[in-house]
Amino acid sequence: MELIVARGREDLVKARRAGEVALVPTMGALHEGHRSLIRQARARADQVVVSIFVNPLQFGPNEDFSRYPRTWDADLDVCRAEGVDVVFHPDAEEMYAPDRQVSVSAGHMGSIVEGAFRPGHFDGVLTVVLKLFNLVQPDLAVFGQKDAQQLAVIRRMVADLDLPIEILGAPTVREPDGLALSSRNRYLSDDDRQVALELSRALRAGAAELTPARVRAAAGEVLDAAGSRIAVDYLALVDPATFAEVDESYAGTAVLAVAATVGTTRLIDNITLTLNPA
Ligand code: AMP
């Protein structure tokens, strides 16, 4: 099947075939992490739509919107190789009318942990994801656990606003040495990249422990030892559904999440672990 490039709602309606449709939302600069999401979508649905849109709404005024990597030709090759049916690539004018008024609020969940450092980010994410859902009308959508808080707020939106869409989470794809794949890794110098490895190392050290205090201490020690070359925004041990910090008595699945700047590149990563098992 020929890959279809859709630029707006009419193109999407024309491209739609019978059967289940899966959507994989991305900002492009596709890598193995995105490919694993696409494969999960393929395994579940009759038709796979990948959206490629660098969403201005989710970038703060001092963030990297203008320098975010855009690799359109390579992205199309990836989509062809993965058997994607439709690439949805709207331009910003198609998505956001100059006189638009209404948007989605992520509520309290959008203002904690990552949201505390990126005000408005999750509102921007939810607004574009809801618009993509309405335009593509998928039966299911696949998101990466790499952006664990994003996945949690999207699940919350689907529940709170009764969206008839199944949300699938996909495990984080890593380099053999542990670095989580990210479109932003290309900004890291060789030296920065070595330093960035301490992030996943800290998460693994935390995940080897069983109580919240020990998890936080073990991960914190690794980050402290890395010194000033890693500027940590947060190291948070949270409930995966609410992103609220867990207390010492918490038992069950938790997420240990970290955000830090290495060189000029801000990176996030997380690991899922079990606390106080019975
Ligand atoms: P992005 O293009 O960075 O907005 O990411 C698009 C989707 O790919 C999101 O659902 C991300 O969570 C997911 N993703 C990004 N990096 C990875 C990774 N290393 N492993 C798995 N999924 C990822």
Side-chain angles (χ1 to χ4, degrees):
M1 279 287 244
E2 186 75 357
L3 177 67
I4 297 170
V5 176
R7 301 302 307 252
R9 185 193 292 271
E10 274 178 30
D11 295 343
L12 286 165
V13 169
K14 259 192 258 161
R16 175 120 197 169
R17 294 198 312 269
E20 280 209 317
V21 173
L23 171 65
V24 181
T26 81
M27 299 203 298
L30 301 181
H31 52 63
E32 271 305 316
H34 299 112
R35 291 176 90 127
S36 78
L37 269 52
I38 293 169
R39 285 183 208 130
Q40 191 162 327
R42 276 239 71 85
R44 274 291 310 272
D46 303 294
Q47 198 178 13
V48 174
V49 180
V50 171
S51 61
I52 297 181
F53 180 61
V54 185
N55 173 32
L57 239 52
Q58 69 190 70
F59 288 80
N62 298 317
E63 294 181 3
D64 59 347
F65 174 71
S66 54
R67 78 160 189 161
Y68 195 85
R70 288 157 172 91
T71 59
W72 173 245
D73 292 332
D75 290 350
L76 279 187
D77 289 343
V78 167
C79 288
R80 275 192 205 97
E82 292 296 341
V84 169
D85 299 282
V86 180
V87 171
F88 179 43
H89 184 54
D91 48 34
E93 296 76 52
E94 171 79 32
M95 290 295 273
Y96 299 121
D99 61 345
R100 70 184 192 89
Q101 300 278 325
V102 178
S103 58
V104 181
S105 163
H108 177 64
M109 270 183 84
S111 67
I112 58 177
V113 195
E114 179 77 356
F117 289 86
R118 302 186 71 187
H121 169 69
F122 288 114
D123 297 350
V125 167
L126 291 187
T127 299
V128 80
V129 167
L130 182 59
K131 285 172 67 74
L132 291 170
F133 284 176
N134 286 331
L135 287 160
V136 175
Q137 303 201 12
D139 300 283
L140 55 114
V142 188
F143 295 88
Q145 181 66 36
K146 162 76 168 36
D147 299 276
Q149 190 170 0
Q150 169 173 287
L151 178 57
V153 296
I154 288 167
R155 287 193 193 283
R156 195 69 250 167
M157 172 173 76
V158 165
D160 288 354
L161 302 184
D162 305 300
L163 306 183
I165 298 168
E166 185 184 350
I167 303 300
L168 302 181
T172 301
V173 176
R174 297 178 181 281
E175 303 280 7
D177 59 13
L179 184 69
L181 295 193
S182 162
S183 305
R184 292 185 170 101
N185 289 353
R186 68 191 67 207
Y187 302 140
L188 296 169
S189 68
D190 290 349
D191 214 31
D192 290 342
R193 200 189 167 289
Q194 280 307 112
V195 176
L197 287 180
E198 297 304 308
L199 295 179
S200 56
R201 222 165 68 74
L203 296 177
R204 286 197 304 277
E209 302 291 340
L210 297 176
T211 68
R214 292 179 69 112
V215 169
R216 290 185 174 105
E221 238 171 70
V222 175
L223 294 176
D224 288 347
S228 60
R229 296 209 50 194
I230 299 187
V232 178
D233 279 347
Y234 60 81
L235 173 69
L237 182 61
V238 299
D239 180 323
T242 63
F243 263 68
E245 287 279 350
V246 301
D247 61 25
E248 204 48 31
S249 64
Y250 181 96
T253 304
V255 166
L256 180 62
V258 66
T261 300
V262 178
T264 55
T265 307
R266 189 172 181 279
L267 301 170
I268 60 170
D269 197 358
N270 70 88
I271 197 166
T272 299
L273 47 88
T274 306
L275 292 171
N276 292 315

